[in-house]
Amino acid sequence: MEPDDDLPVSRAPPPQRRGISYSQPLSRDVASARRAALRNHSLDDEHILPVSHSLNYPLHQDPTAGGPHAGYHPPLPPHQHHPSASYSSGSRRSGGGGASEGSMTLERAMSEYGGGSGTLPEFVGAGGGKGIFRVPLRAAMHPGRPPPLEVRPHPLRETQAGSFLRTLAAEPQRRQLWAGAESGIRVWALEEVFAEWGAGARRGDEESAPFREGVPAPPALCVAVDRANRLLWTGHKDGRIRSWRMDLDVAATAPAPPAAGAGDGGGSVGGSSHAGGNNNAPVFREALTWQAYGRTPVLSMVVTSYGEIWSGSEGGVIKAWPYDAIAKSLSLSPEERHMAALLVERAYIDLRNHCTVGNVCSLPASDVKHMLADHSRAKVWTVTSMTFALWDARTRELLKVFGMDGQVESAKLETPAMTEQPMEEEVNPKAKPSKKDKSQGSLNFFQKSRNALIGAADAVRRVATKGTFVEDNRRTGAVAQVMDGTIWSGCTNGAIIQWDGNGMRVQEFQHHTSSVQCIKALGERVWVGYASGTIQVMDAEGNILAGWTGHSCPVIRMAIGGSYIYTLAHHGGIRGWPLNSPGPLDDIIRTELSNRELSYTRMEKINIMVGSWNVAQGKASAESLRSWLGSVSSDVGLVVVGLQEVEMGAGFLAISAAKETVAEKPSIALSIASALSGGRMSTRKGSTDVHEFDGMFQGSYANFKVTSVIGHVFSVDFPPAYQNWEGTDPMDLFEAPVLRSECNPKAHIRRHLAQEARGCTYLILWLDCDREGENICYEVIECTGIPENEAGRRIFRARFSSVTEKDILSAMNNLVLPNKDEALSVDARQEIDLKVGVAFTRFQTRYFQGKYGNLDSRVISYGPCQTPTLGFCVQRYQQITTFKPEKFWSLKTYIIKDGDEIQLEWDRKKLFDFDVTVMFQKMVASDGTLKIADVSVKEECKTRPSGLNTVNMLKVASSALGIGPQTAMHLAERLYTQGFISYPRTESTAYPASFDFRSALAVLVHNPLWSNDVRTLLDAGFVKPRQGHDAGDHPPITPMRSATEEGLGTDAWRLYQYICQHFIGTVSPDCRYTRTAIEFTSGGETFHCVGYRVTHKGFTSIMPWLAVSENSLPAFKKGDSVSIHKVDIYEGSTTPPDYLSESELISLMEKNGIGTDASIPVHINNICERNYVQVNSGRRLVPTPLGTTLIRGYQCIDADLCLPDIRSFIEQQITLIAKGKADHLQVIQHVIQQFMKKYSYFVKKIENMDALFEAQFSPLADSGRLLSKCGKCGRYMKYISTQPMRLYCITCEDVYYLPQNGSIKLYKEIICPLDGFELLLFSMVGPDAKSFPLCPFCYTNPPFEGIDKLFGALKIDDTGKVGKGAGMPCSLCPHPTCKQSMITQGVCACPECSGTLILDPVSAPKWRLYCNMCNCIVLLPHAAHRITTTDKKCLTCESTIIEVDFNKKTTPLQDGATLHEGCILCDDLLHSLIEMKHGKSFFMRRGCLKPLHPPTEDGRLKIRFEFKEMSRVQPKLTL
């Protein structure tokens, strides 16, 4: 904060600090300096500002110019800081007064700054930030935090290379603020934090308060204030400890090196002196320095109660530097100073070796990152990530080692570390080490390696002792001591642990979920800084007093001095906060600044002309620019000219950062690109479309590339060694490794992303904002090759709830980081489901399909979510089948009032005893009258619904719209990708407080179905929805755009219509009605009737299906009597519940934690596709015999397998992973171990389930029909047509699986020459489907080694079972003599794949060739009577010669001949008669085949081929 001129608490107004991003005028002196370093540009030297103008504006250093005499850019003239002020040459006014006279035009600029005829001021934009031009730093105060003191405003990242600040310390007595940087140390005088630089400042520090800088040094990692010696101790990355005198005048013994600038002058390296304005300000250097560690950095330091310095490093090494040695070194004369470092280095005490007795040490071999001196108890705390060590500061005795849970750590065996000898290395760095030294160095290396292993062992041990699921994010990030003597430690999960002085855990509390980065205490207040940028103030008891967002990035350090607490942000910015904030003074300052906001935020209108200037056009003089601008020159106030970079001229090269944006679906990518580019983009084809356009990103020009994936890029599966069902024990799958392979290799998404990411600097992920979307984020990151640790620097995540332009732009301006924990939770679920599901599925399928024939299921699957879902359906089915109806009776009493008959309800409802009911009937009938006992009239309301989440949408879609959950989810996703609704996968029913309901209603006002309701709400005012459940994911499902039924389709429109009506209902008033209840008595029995009258429809006008049914009653008066018209006895029977509906099943799954809002429809669809349930009328799920038997079998063996408890537990653990509270590897290991035990028990007790199957299904011997002979026993085998189709030999008891989804018949009783089995003919479904013969034995058991790999055998499902529906038909058989094999029936290579075109022997009279690998078909002459292959080969292309026997009436041959032999590639006659379907390629191996005929009317391509080159390989027919 900088005080305003008129504030009573401020002194004289300080000059305004300048931002580096302003345009800056170029003076004559500066121009001469620029010409010394850069090539001359085309501006005339005579048209530069005179010297007098440059004297008023101090120089700014530009480190990007390079060279020892790099150019300086003076700041903008004062009117650019305060556009309302006017200035004259050589003078400057106060920033508060004076209004400008109109716009700043080109003519006015020349008159004020030109200084001569035709001169023109030149401005060079520094760039960076959020734009080339920005408003001054002094703007309105943030309403949610105290006014801060801006010691060092947020510098641009590109200016901080090699100079980031990482530590912070304050010395209150001398009012100094010290900061450790990557390039050394710097210090601010707190009295001058309101001052400005009197001379040039380093780029990035122009807006900082003046500071002094030490001599260049390696990065400072830790600092410790030594008030007794008036020193600041710093630990550095090179392993050295340095001290700096707080008396800077004494320390400044070396002049500042000359800085780059105009001529020989310029600013100082370290900044100005305290007084400012002196370009030769001295820098200060260290007082004492020594090598503390040989090859490791100094991570932490502390000054103990006895003046010793303790330091910590990697591997748990702690050294104590005695006070005597330090004091003696500091007292040495300058002539003896060379002995100081050696004196201290040799005096150190290795505390790790000091506490190691008998090779046993209690200290962990982990990095010592924090130290704390407890001066009240003369103790020292040393802290690693997971442990604490408590020492006696006087005796250096290790008192206690304990973990974060307070448990004392046990000692462990350790080899003492070798003594380091850094001094010898310094004295003679080039001397060759002796053999002894080498051995010691090797021992040190192995010792460090061993320390790392011991540290890992410690972590494993802690995991084993603390439980199965340990929160690995509970690492110590900060430690501090409070006034009452307690020690506070902050954890990376946001928790704060309070300890007493003896290391006993007092309490733990948590006020924030972000990581604790720093803690500072003074008096009764404690300040805590978090990684989110939040600062919280607490009392000594841990109660939160206040909190605010201090920075836009993590607060990494704090220091207290001069009535302020200073916070250092990760970006290098430093702010000071009053120690009494928040308080009354903050409100006063904020109010005063708000009242004066206009004085420093008012902007002046300036017309900017932007163009390019080629040096070939001449010099950019005033006359030439006037001629170039033409008539608009009088209106232009600023001219931006881009000079071409050529050999003869000096220009400026703008480097654009290429940026790639990846969305999950192509339609979303198009919406994102359209919104970000404003519709101005180019699109090119790829695996998915790529949209390109230019724009701004992080203040720089960038080229955007927006592309997409198609769902998941990778899927999990087992390695090939575990794919064979027959050769792999399912038990081995639980411990088998898991591979990630590309989901759709043909789409080449991985290659596409890798290619598009080349040359891209940034990656922005626009995936769905759920756990699956986070998982795909990291799949995309892996494909692009950008390291994951670049998240936040090069990788960003966009979070959005709809694909409207408003939400897309908002997400682009608020980018976040991808969530690794949520991605790992999806990995864990995928691996658990794969291993558990495949193991049980393989065992069940192999066991039961080999015994029973009418299962009617290709695979008998098990799933941790699927099976409990089926269990709900079977449970309702069992309730129905075991239900026993029971008769009941009730009284129906009628009265007549005002001519209307009214039926009264009996309070007893119903009785199950007929005689008792008759008795009550007689009692009422004998009374004959009803006395009105009570008349109750109440005003009641039916509350409006809360927001719509996914589960409620699916339930309504199934019960009211008749749309299944899977279909409804697909429709909702399509509506979302088209921008009609918000994100459809959400668990929340509560809208955020900032939701814009008026804008959401405005988009619906033009639809005639609800336009009147919407207009009423907009005019009369709408109500906010009821407070629902906030899951923290996405807002409820909301319409975002208006749509019509013609544009969406019937089902999508019905779903969209309901979403719109539901949203309108949530913001409509409640429905109000009057409820009238009349109570009657007669014969000791009570009856009643109820009437309803609606007073205000409210939300039911838009949702009529929820309306209250009106029922008017006549007027009754209490105490009156009414005659009974009649009393009847109604007889009924209890009925069983109906089958479970999809809506009810969704409710049960949500209640029991089965699946997520996105996966619930998938699980329901799975049990339907597996033939476990069937969907009947009303969307009710009826279990099949197979589904019922499976669940009953699980209940007989292990009921947990079909109960929701296990899956609910798994989902809870998955949620813990997503929240970062559990390790995903440990969760996987624990769950897999549990299911391994259950699987082992299930296998042992499978006979219990088999008994149920035997009672329900028929054995294979009793199933199917006789079809073909077995090659082993010669008996006929039975063909079982139910899924999966197979043959069963009753004698051999062997099962032979066949291709699926087609028909099977005997093929001419031909015998296979390999095994004696009769061949079968398989025919696919469809007019163009192919047919091929096969041998049952060869198909199930391929006789040739590697046949499935050579010919890419198909798989029946994702489980990869080889031999079931996949194998070797005759078209793949390489037998050399069999008449049905590929060798004899093959003609030539396929044009579309690596397969072979085979003659279809049963395709007559429509003869054709088909590919044995793909769906390519070549139609042969239809007029042929017979077509066969021969044993001859074409001499030109080596294709098989075919023999064609034409029909006599339609033969194309001369003289009526019918027999013709030829090659389909080389024979002209056959060429003219060939037609092909599905042809795509126009190239052939080693040759070229060209089509000579256009396509026919039916879309077929009639072709003629010319073979260009001789080939010795099998020719490939190519289009």
Side-chain angles (χ1 to χ4, degrees):
M1 182 195 80
E2 296 188 8
D4 198 271
D5 298 342
D6 298 332
L7 285 180
V9 296
S10 63
R11 297 176 293 181
Q16 170 66 28
R17 296 188 190 150
R18 292 166 295 280
I20 64 169
S21 61
Y22 297 126
S23 298
Q24 302 163 355
L26 190 67
S27 66
R28 177 187 297 273
D29 291 347
V30 177
S32 62
R34 289 179 54 84
R35 288 194 295 272
L38 303 176
R39 289 171 289 185
N40 294 333
H41 53 66
S42 60
L43 293 178
D44 195 340
D45 297 342
E46 297 179 356
H47 300 154
I48 306 296
L49 287 176
V51 180
S52 60
H53 285 277
S54 66
L55 299 177
N56 293 295
Y57 311 126
L59 304 180
H60 283 224
Q61 183 180 0
D62 184 4
T64 61
H69 299 285
Y72 269 67
H73 302 283
L76 189 68
H79 78 273
Q80 292 292 345
H81 293 280
H82 298 281
S84 61
S86 60
Y87 294 83
S88 61
S89 301
S91 64
R92 182 169 60 183
R93 298 181 183 177
S94 172
S100 62
E101 299 175 1
S103 306
M104 177 63 69
T105 64
L106 188 64
E107 299 293 338
R108 180 181 171 188
M110 291 180 57
S111 64
E112 290 196 16
Y113 301 103
S117 176
T119 57
L120 184 68
E122 175 192 356
F123 299 90
V124 179
K130 296 183 178 179
I132 295 179
F133 302 97
R134 66 182 183 185
V135 298
L137 176 67
R138 295 176 59 187
M141 302 309 302
H142 194 288
R145 68 184 179 204
L149 170 64
E150 295 285 357
V151 179
R152 186 176 190 250
H154 178 185
L156 296 177
R157 183 178 181 87
E158 58 266 24
T159 67
Q160 299 301 297
S163 60
F164 276 102
L165 304 185
R166 285 295 173 259
T167 58
L168 196 67
E171 211 297 305
Q173 294 180 356
R174 292 170 179 80
R175 296 181 60 79
Q176 293 176 344
L177 181 65
W178 295 76
E182 293 182 349
S183 57
I185 199 81
R186 62 176 63 178
V187 58
W188 285 266
L190 298 183
E191 291 84 356
E192 300 178 1
V193 293
F194 294 97
E196 70 160 359
W197 286 102
R202 173 181 299 163
R203 186 170 183 235
D205 288 317
E206 295 91 343
E207 298 176 355
S208 169
F211 59 84
R212 294 277 297 276
E213 201 165 28
V215 295
L221 304 181
C222 55
V223 295
V225 177
D226 187 355
R227 297 179 182 175
N229 294 318
R230 291 175 295 180
L231 294 174
L232 180 83
W233 299 94
T234 56
H236 295 261
K237 190 175 183 181
D238 61 350
R240 298 186 71 87
I241 294 179
R242 292 173 169 85
S243 63
W244 312 84
R245 297 188 185 276
M246 295 181 181
D247 189 350
L248 299 181
D249 295 332
V250 177
T253 59
D264 296 329
S268 66
V269 173
S272 69
S273 67
H274 292 305
N278 182 10
N279 290 342
N280 293 320
V283 296
F284 57 90
R285 67 180 184 183
E286 66 269 17
L288 175 63
T289 176
W290 70 86
Q291 190 73 35
Y293 299 94
R295 298 178 180 86
T296 57
V298 183
L299 299 178
S300 56
M301 290 178 57
V302 72
V303 180
T304 70
S305 306
Y306 297 92
E308 292 184 344
I309 296 178
W310 288 24
S311 61
S313 184
E314 296 177 352
V317 179
I318 304 173
K319 292 184 179 182
W321 310 91
Y323 171 77
D324 296 338
I326 297 174
K328 185 175 181 179
S329 299
L330 292 173
S331 64
L332 292 177
S333 62
E335 293 78 11
E336 300 172 330
R337 189 60 57 87
H338 65 280
M339 295 294 296
L342 186 60
L343 179 63
V344 179
E345 287 177 357
R346 292 181 175 179
Y348 80 91
I349 300 172
D350 192 331
L351 297 183
R352 187 176 184 85
N353 289 343
H354 187 68
C355 65
T356 300
V357 180
N359 292 344
V360 175
C361 181
S362 298
L363 289 176
S366 303
D367 299 348
V368 182
K369 297 184 177 181
H370 309 279
M371 283 188 173
L372 174 69
D374 185 355
H375 297 296
S376 62
R377 302 180 180 88
K379 294 180 181 179
V380 176
W381 292 59
T382 60
V383 184
T384 67
S385 296
M386 304 294 291
T387 60
F388 300 82
L390 188 59
W391 305 77
D392 189 309
R394 183 179 64 86
T395 63
R396 309 184 190 96
E397 178 185 357
L398 179 61
L399 303 178
K400 184 180 181 182
V401 179
F402 51 96
M404 298 181 66
D405 54 1
Q407 297 181 2
V408 177
E409 299 284 332
S410 59
K412 48 190 168 294
L413 185 64
E414 177 168 307
T415 303
M418 296 296 297
T419 303
E420 298 185 27
Q421 298 178 347
M423 278 302 300
E424 283 72 3
E425 296 179 6
E426 287 187 10
V427 173
N428 190 9
K430 296 183 179 180
K432 296 183 179 179
S434 63
K435 294 183 178 179
K436 181 179 180 180
D437 295 334
K438 290 183 178 180
S439 63
Q440 290 180 355
S442 301
L443 184 56
N444 279 335
F445 170 75
F446 288 116
Q447 176 63 25
K448 292 176 182 177
S449 302
R450 186 175 178 279
N451 288 343
L453 294 176
I454 292 176
D458 285 343
V460 175
R461 178 177 56 80
R462 284 192 296 269
V463 169
T465 56
K466 294 179 183 178
T468 305
F469 305 108
V470 178
E471 302 175 10
D472 62 348
N473 62 342
R474 282 178 58 89
R475 300 185 299 274
T476 302
V479 63
Q481 187 175 20
V482 186
M483 182 187 67
D484 59 1
T486 58
I487 309 298
W488 287 27
S489 63
C491 304
T492 51
N493 67 342
I496 298 176
I497 305 175
Q498 197 174 20
W499 312 82
D500 65 8
N502 298 319
M504 301 300 294
R505 185 184 175 109
V506 178
Q507 66 169 336
E508 177 179 346
F509 51 88
Q510 185 169 358
H511 299 302
H512 201 278
T513 57
S514 185
S515 171
V516 178
Q517 298 288 303
C518 51
I519 303 176
K520 205 69 178 178
L522 180 66
E524 297 181 351
R525 288 198 171 193
V526 183
W527 290 263
V528 182
Y530 293 92
S532 62
T534 300
I535 300 173
Q536 289 183 345
V537 187
M538 307 177 191
D539 59 16
E541 300 297 329
N543 302 314
I544 187 168
L545 303 178
W548 61 86
T549 301
H551 298 274
S552 60
C553 65
V555 181
I556 59 177
R557 290 293 185 272
M558 289 180 173
I560 297 178
S563 73
Y564 283 90
I565 178 167
Y566 298 93
T567 57
L568 170 62
H570 188 271
H571 52 54
I574 301 177
R575 281 176 173 164
W577 312 89
L579 293 177
N580 58 355
S581 291
L585 183 60
D586 299 331
D587 299 332
I588 296 174
I589 296 176
R590 185 181 293 109
T591 302
E592 292 294 331
L593 289 175
S594 299
N595 294 336
R596 289 162 174 77
E597 179 179 359
L598 186 61
S599 64
Y600 52 80
T601 59
R602 183 168 55 202
M603 300 297 294
E604 180 178 325
K605 179 182 178 182
I606 299 177
N607 294 326
I608 301 176
M609 180 68 179
V610 182
S612 60
W613 187 270
N614 194 325
V615 293
Q617 295 177 240
K619 297 183 180 296
S621 62
E623 292 76 11
S624 61
L625 285 177
R626 278 199 192 94
S627 176
W628 179 54
L629 293 174
S631 60
V632 300
S633 60
S634 59
D635 299 327
V636 174
L638 185 64
V639 180
V640 182
V641 181
L643 302 179
Q644 281 193 353
E645 180 72 23
V646 294
E647 288 298 325
M648 58 179 295
F652 305 96
L653 178 62
I655 302 176
S656 297
K659 183 173 69 67
E660 183 181 24
T661 300
V662 180
E664 186 167 343
K665 302 174 180 67
S667 55
I668 296 181
L670 178 61
S671 300
I672 293 171
S674 301
L676 296 180
S677 67
R680 297 181 296 273
M681 61 183 180
S682 61
T683 303
R684 53 184 172 85
K685 296 296 183 180
S687 296
T688 57
D689 289 349
V690 181
H691 313 284
E692 293 189 76
F693 55 91
D694 293 330
M696 294 292 294
F697 180 70
Q698 294 187 346
S700 301
Y701 287 100
N703 173 254
F704 288 72
K705 292 195 292 185
V706 184
T707 187
S708 66
V709 295
I710 312 172
H712 275 282
V713 182
F714 299 108
S715 61
V716 294
D717 203 350
F718 293 110
Y722 295 88
Q723 295 287 354
N724 191 330
W725 283 40
E726 305 297 332
T728 304
D729 186 354
M731 177 64 80
D732 297 337
L733 298 177
F734 288 102
E735 298 180 348
V738 174
L739 298 180
R740 299 173 70 226
S741 57
E742 196 167 354
C743 288
N744 190 358
K746 293 183 179 181
H748 303 295
I749 296 296
R750 183 172 190 171
R751 183 183 66 187
H752 170 70
L753 294 176
Q755 291 175 348
E756 297 300 332
R758 292 174 185 171
C760 288
T761 308
Y762 302 99
L763 173 66
I764 300 183
L765 302 159
W766 293 77
L767 287 308
D768 285 351
C769 298
D770 55 9
R771 294 179 187 175
E772 296 292 335
E774 296 298 329
N775 188 261
I776 302 176
C777 281
Y778 281 88
E779 293 177 353
V780 172
I781 293 173
E782 179 181 344
C783 293
T784 58
I786 301 177
E788 289 185 13
N789 56 14
E790 292 291 333
R793 293 186 294 271
R794 296 180 58 195
I795 302 174
F796 301 94
R797 177 78 160 97
R799 294 200 174 276
F800 57 104
S801 298
S802 66
V803 290
T804 60
E805 182 176 357
K806 177 183 177 182
D807 278 10
I808 290 174
L809 296 178
S810 175
M812 188 67 181
N813 294 327
N814 298 276
L815 298 177
V816 297
L817 303 182
N819 193 321
K820 181 67 173 179
D821 294 325
E822 291 189 357
L824 291 176
S825 69
V826 176
D827 290 339
R829 179 188 290 113
Q830 289 177 345
E831 184 170 347
I832 291 172
D833 291 348
L834 174 72
K835 291 185 174 181
V836 174
V838 173
F840 277 89
T841 298
R842 287 191 183 182
F843 175 75
Q844 292 178 167
T845 304
R846 290 175 57 193
Y847 187 88
F848 292 114
Q849 283 190 350
K851 298 184 66 175
Y852 304 102
N854 56 341
L855 295 177
D856 198 20
S857 179
R858 295 172 57 185
V859 60
I860 304 176
S861 63
Y862 174 87
C865 284
Q866 162 194 303
T867 304
T869 303
L870 174 62
F872 291 130
C873 301
V874 175
Q875 181 182 15
R876 177 62 64 87
Y877 170 79
Q878 291 174 341
Q879 293 175 357
I880 296 173
T881 55
T882 58
F883 183 83
K884 294 182 179 180
E886 188 176 359
K887 287 186 177 183
F888 65 86
W889 294 267
S890 65
L891 293 182
K892 300 291 185 182
T893 304
Y894 299 88
I895 62 174
I896 295 179
K897 179 70 171 179
D898 298 337
D900 297 328
E901 185 180 71
I902 303 174
Q903 177 185 334
L904 306 182
E905 297 293 332
W906 189 22
D907 280 4
R908 296 183 185 272
K909 303 295 183 183
K910 56 188 175 184
L911 298 177
F912 293 92
D913 191 312
F914 177 74
D915 296 334
V916 174
T917 308
V918 172
M919 177 190 70
F920 283 122
Q921 180 194 29
K922 293 180 179 179
M923 292 171 57
V924 173
S926 61
D927 192 333
T929 60
L930 289 165
K931 184 177 181 180
I932 301 175
D934 186 34
V935 177
S936 173
V937 180
K938 293 182 179 180
E939 294 290 334
E940 297 183 357
C941 74
K942 188 173 185 178
T943 57
R944 60 193 179 279
S946 55
L948 181 65
N949 62 6
T950 305
V951 171
N952 290 331
M953 180 192 70
L954 297 177
K955 290 164 61 176
V956 172
S958 175
S959 60
L961 305 180
I963 303 174
Q966 184 85 339
T967 304
M969 203 66 223
H970 289 162
L971 293 173
E973 288 177 350
R974 195 181 81 188
L975 292 173
Y976 162 67
T977 56
Q978 294 174 347
F980 292 108
I981 64 173
S982 62
Y983 191 61
R985 295 176 182 170
T986 176
E987 299 178 9
S988 299
T989 58
Y991 284 93
S994 60
F995 191 87
D996 189 357
F997 294 100
R998 180 169 293 276
S999 298
L1001 286 170
V1003 301
L1004 304 177
V1005 74
H1006 300 295
N1007 194 303
L1009 292 178
W1010 43 70
S1011 59
N1012 293 334
D1013 298 273
V1014 174
R1015 292 184 189 277
T1016 301
L1017 293 175
L1018 290 175
D1019 296 339
F1022 56 87
V1023 296
K1024 289 189 176 181
R1026 289 193 302 122
Q1027 185 63 35
H1029 170 65
D1030 185 6
D1033 48 359
H1034 291 278
I1037 304 172
T1038 308
M1040 307 303 296
R1041 283 173 49 196
S1042 181
T1044 60
E1045 183 175 2
E1046 294 77 12
L1048 297 182
T1050 304
D1051 288 341
W1053 166 254
R1054 293 168 61 211
L1055 183 62
Y1056 172 80
Q1057 181 180 5
Y1058 170 74
I1059 294 173
C1060 293
Q1061 291 174 308
H1062 187 101
F1063 171 71
I1064 298 172
T1066 59
V1067 295
S1068 299
D1070 294 338
C1071 173
R1072 300 191 176 277
Y1073 59 91
T1074 302
R1075 180 180 182 273
T1076 304
I1078 313 297
E1079 184 177 321
F1080 303 86
T1081 59
S1082 177
E1085 292 302 299
T1086 305
F1087 301 87
H1088 67 273
C1089 63
V1090 180
Y1092 299 94
R1093 183 176 62 85
V1094 177
T1095 58
H1096 181 65
K1097 289 186 177 181
F1099 74 96
T1100 59
S1101 63
I1102 191 67
M1103 304 176 74
W1105 59 91
L1106 297 178
V1108 177
S1109 300
E1110 291 191 275
N1111 178 25
S1112 300
L1113 293 178
F1116 291 93
K1117 186 178 180 181
K1118 184 178 180 179
D1120 291 350
S1121 298
V1122 182
S1123 299
I1124 298 176
H1125 177 60
K1126 60 179 177 179
V1127 181
D1128 295 336
I1129 294 179
Y1130 171 79
E1131 179 180 334
S1133 298
T1134 57
T1135 57
D1138 206 343
Y1139 288 105
L1140 209 61
S1141 66
E1142 287 177 331
S1143 177
E1144 294 170 335
L1145 179 58
I1146 293 172
S1147 299
L1148 289 173
M1149 295 176 69
E1150 181 190 26
K1151 179 181 178 181
N1152 291 274
I1154 303 299
T1156 63
D1157 52 358
S1159 62
I1160 284 176
V1162 178
H1163 301 318
I1164 297 177
N1165 186 67
N1166 284 341
I1167 62 175
C1168 296
E1169 289 186 345
R1170 298 281 161 54
N1171 198 31
Y1172 295 157
V1173 297
Q1174 293 179 345
V1175 182
N1176 284 7
S1177 59
R1179 307 296 303 180
R1180 297 197 173 269
L1181 304 173
V1182 181
T1184 63
L1186 178 58
T1188 305
T1189 307
L1190 269 178
I1191 295 300
R1192 290 178 59 196
Y1194 293 136
Q1195 293 171 344
C1196 292
I1197 300 177
D1198 186 356
D1200 286 343
L1201 293 175
C1202 60
L1203 292 177
D1205 300 340
I1206 291 185
R1207 188 61 196 190
S1208 179
F1209 170 76
I1210 295 176
E1211 291 295 339
Q1212 293 174 3
Q1213 301 305 315
I1214 296 297
T1215 302
L1216 291 178
I1217 297 175
K1219 294 180 178 180
K1221 297 182 179 180
D1223 182 75
H1224 78 290
L1225 295 178
Q1226 295 179 356
V1227 171
I1228 294 173
Q1229 181 182 6
H1230 176 76
V1231 174
I1232 293 300
Q1233 288 177 351
Q1234 296 296 320
F1235 273 100
M1236 283 180 65
K1237 297 177 182 178
K1238 290 187 173 294
Y1239 174 80
S1240 179
Y1241 184 78
F1242 179 75
V1243 172
K1244 293 178 182 178
K1245 300 294 183 180
I1246 191 63
E1247 292 82 4
N1248 296 342
M1249 181 182 284
D1250 188 31
L1252 298 175
F1253 270 79
E1254 186 176 358
Q1256 183 67 46
F1257 302 103
S1258 303
L1260 285 176
D1262 300 335
S1263 304
R1265 59 181 177 86
L1266 299 177
L1267 183 62
S1268 64
K1269 289 183 180 180
C1270 174
K1272 297 180 180 179
C1273 63
R1275 304 291 181 90
Y1276 277 95
M1277 297 183 294
K1278 282 193 171 183
Y1279 167 58
I1280 302 172
S1281 59
T1282 56
Q1283 296 284 350
M1285 296 190 299
R1286 57 202 184 277
L1287 290 174
Y1288 176 65
C1289 180
I1290 301 176
T1291 305
C1292 303
E1293 296 185 351
D1294 288 334
V1295 178
Y1296 303 100
Y1297 292 95
L1298 305 173
Q1300 306 299 308
N1301 301 323
S1303 60
I1304 289 286
K1305 63 181 179 180
L1306 194 62
Y1307 183 54
K1308 303 179 181 178
E1309 297 185 356
I1310 299 175
I1311 304 297
C1312 176
L1314 293 175
D1315 45 51
F1317 279 73
E1318 287 185 328
L1319 299 187
L1320 303 176
L1321 182 68
F1322 174 78
S1323 300
M1324 296 182 180
V1325 180
D1328 296 323
K1330 56 187 176 183
S1331 303
F1332 55 83
L1334 61 95
C1335 167
F1337 187 86
C1338 294
Y1339 190 83
T1340 304
N1341 306 287
F1344 300 100
E1345 184 177 355
I1347 194 69
D1348 56 328
K1349 297 180 181 178
L1350 288 174
F1351 299 103
L1354 303 176
K1355 300 177 181 179
I1356 62 169
D1357 55 21
D1358 295 336
T1359 59
K1361 181 170 181 180
V1362 177
K1364 284 186 136 186
M1368 189 193 76
C1370 294
S1371 58
L1372 291 176
C1373 178
H1375 195 284
T1377 60
C1378 178
K1379 298 298 183 182
Q1380 315 302 324
S1381 70
M1382 175 185 63
I1383 302 301
T1384 58
Q1385 294 296 324
V1387 176
C1388 63
C1390 176
E1392 296 184 358
C1393 68
S1394 59
T1396 303
L1397 292 179
I1398 307 294
L1399 177 64
D1400 189 345
V1402 296
S1403 58
K1406 297 182 179 180
W1407 298 95
R1408 61 184 179 178
L1409 305 177
Y1410 67 87
C1411 177
N1412 58 1
M1413 298 294 290
C1414 68
N1415 60 352
C1416 179
I1417 297 176
V1418 176
L1419 302 180
L1420 298 177
H1422 289 183
H1425 175 69
R1426 177 179 55 84
I1427 299 180
T1428 58
T1429 58
T1430 66
D1431 55 359
K1432 303 175 184 178
K1433 299 294 182 181
C1434 176
L1435 298 178
T1436 303
C1437 63
E1438 293 190 355
S1439 295
T1440 300
I1441 300 295
I1442 63 172
E1443 183 181 82
V1444 183
D1445 186 4
F1446 291 99
N1447 192 293
K1448 292 182 180 180
K1449 297 181 180 180
T1450 58
T1451 177
L1453 301 177
Q1454 297 179 358
D1455 302 329
T1458 59
L1459 197 61
H1460 179 75
E1461 287 185 355
C1463 170
I1464 64 170
L1465 301 179
C1466 305
D1467 188 275
D1468 293 338
L1469 176 62
L1470 295 181
H1471 262 150
S1472 62
L1473 301 176
I1474 289 178
E1475 295 179 1
M1476 180 177 176
K1477 290 188 176 181
H1478 315 299
K1480 294 181 181 179
S1481 176
F1482 279 82
F1483 298 93
M1484 189 192 74
R1485 300 178 197 165
R1486 296 194 180 183
C1488 179
L1489 303 177
K1490 297 183 178 180
L1492 301 182
H1493 299 283
T1496 59
E1497 293 181 357
D1498 59 358
R1500 300 174 181 175
L1501 187 63
K1502 186 169 290 187
I1503 55 177
R1504 177 178 177 86
F1505 300 100
E1506 294 179 356
F1507 192 72
K1508 290 286 187 178
E1509 181 182 346
M1510 293 294 292
S1511 173
R1512 303 303 301 172
V1513 298
Q1514 186 181 29
K1516 185 172 183 178
L1517 177 64
T1518 310
L1519 295 181

